[in-house]
Amino acid sequence: MIAVEDTVLVLLAAGRSERFGDIGSKLDQPFLARPLGLHVAVALEDMPFRQRIVVVDGCTIDFAQFGFFVTHNDDPERDMASSVRIGVECARAHDAKAVLIALADMPRVTAAHIHRLFDASEMGERAVVASSDGRSPKPPALFGRARFDELLAISGDQGARDLIQSGRHVVTNGAELIDVDTPEELEALRELVHAPEALSRPDSHVLRGGDAEALAALRAELKAILGE
């Protein structure tokens, strides 16, 4: 079993936000009165990780005030794999027995679910424990240090997908694993949780023309996930 105290948290916050348009980093966008990318950091702030590392590029969030060591991804591609490699190298430097990889664009992750990942880590240093919505595995995911070399060998935006596919999967409510990739997805999520930032004007840019249909479809999908 892997202990939280022996684990380094690696928060990936260096995505290029290409699907979000020319707005800088999507992680800076407000959601429930704080930046989108800060929710995971706050949700896990009481867990006693050996170290907290965030891999960033472009966002303006002050992760350091939440106990994170901030490192930059200067790779021109800035794909997920390059951020994973940076995080794992930092974890190895701290003599971690495991690494927990989480994504900053998944604002609904809870500490309770992360504890369940640790509870499922019976394989210890060889453990691979990923989250699942009952359909497919995904981050957050826990990796024992015997898997570090495999993580350092990955490439592309697939990240550690093949590795977590072969690991153990802990199923949770799909609402907890929502990730935000587009302005429409963020707006639909804001509306469904009644966030103060939700746009309600009929002339809002996300509600014009065909975008209104796309938003309605996203809203229906999110309602199904959230069980509403």
Side-chain angles (χ1 to χ4, degrees):
M1 191 81 71
I2 296 171
V4 178
E5 293 83 355
D6 295 326
T7 302
V8 167
L9 168 62
V10 174
L11 183 62
L12 304 185
R16 289 175 289 179
S17 302
E18 290 181 339
R19 294 174 60 192
F20 222 87
D22 187 19
I23 54 110
S25 174
K26 66 182 177 183
L27 302 179
D28 292 324
Q29 298 300 299
F31 175 64
L32 292 175
R34 65 167 49 108
L36 174 71
L38 194 54
H39 283 264
V40 178
V42 172
L44 305 185
E45 64 182 347
D46 290 332
M47 295 188 69
F49 291 104
R50 174 170 294 192
Q51 179 61 278
R52 300 165 193 272
I53 295 166
V54 60
V55 184
V56 303
D57 178 68
C59 73
T60 63
I61 299 170
D62 183 7
F63 287 103
Q65 69 171 314
F66 292 90
F68 280 82
F69 171 78
V70 180
T71 184
H72 291 262
N73 185 349
D74 296 321
D75 189 312
E77 293 300 321
R78 293 194 302 279
D79 57 14
M80 185 180 294
S82 63
S83 291
V84 168
R85 293 194 299 269
I86 291 169
V88 172
E89 289 284 14
C90 289
R92 180 172 274 176
H94 284 87
D95 196 29
K97 293 184 180 179
V99 62
L100 177 75
I101 296 177
L103 307 186
D105 64 357
M106 298 178 73
R108 307 297 285 170
V109 170
T110 66
H113 173 63
I114 300 303
H115 279 295
R116 291 179 61 213
L117 297 182
F118 281 95
D119 289 342
S121 63
E122 294 95 342
M123 291 185 65
E125 293 185 2
R126 292 200 55 79
V128 177
V129 186
S131 305
S132 174
D133 57 4
R135 294 176 295 178
S136 60
K138 59 189 67 181
L142 178 66
F143 302 88
R145 66 179 171 189
R147 303 290 189 170
F148 285 2
D149 285 341
E150 293 171 81
L151 288 171
L152 292 171
I154 64 177
S155 61
D157 278 325
Q158 289 293 99
R161 190 169 300 174
D162 291 340
L163 184 55
I164 66 176
Q165 186 71 45
S166 63
R168 182 167 182 180
H169 305 155
V170 176
V171 177
T172 189
N173 190 311
E176 186 166 349
L177 302 179
I178 292 172
D179 63 327
V180 177
D181 289 324
T182 68
E184 292 80 13
E185 289 174 348
L186 177 57
E187 187 55 37
L189 183 58
R190 283 169 171 166
E191 290 189 4
L192 287 172
V193 300
H194 307 294
E197 306 88 0
L199 299 177
S200 58
R201 301 190 316 274
D203 61 345
S204 169
H205 72 284
V206 297
L207 298 178
R208 290 177 185 161
D211 285 344
E213 295 182 4
L215 184 59
L218 281 168
R219 188 183 296 114
E221 182 179 351
L222 285 172
K223 280 185 176 180
I225 292 173
L226 293 168
E228 295 186 0

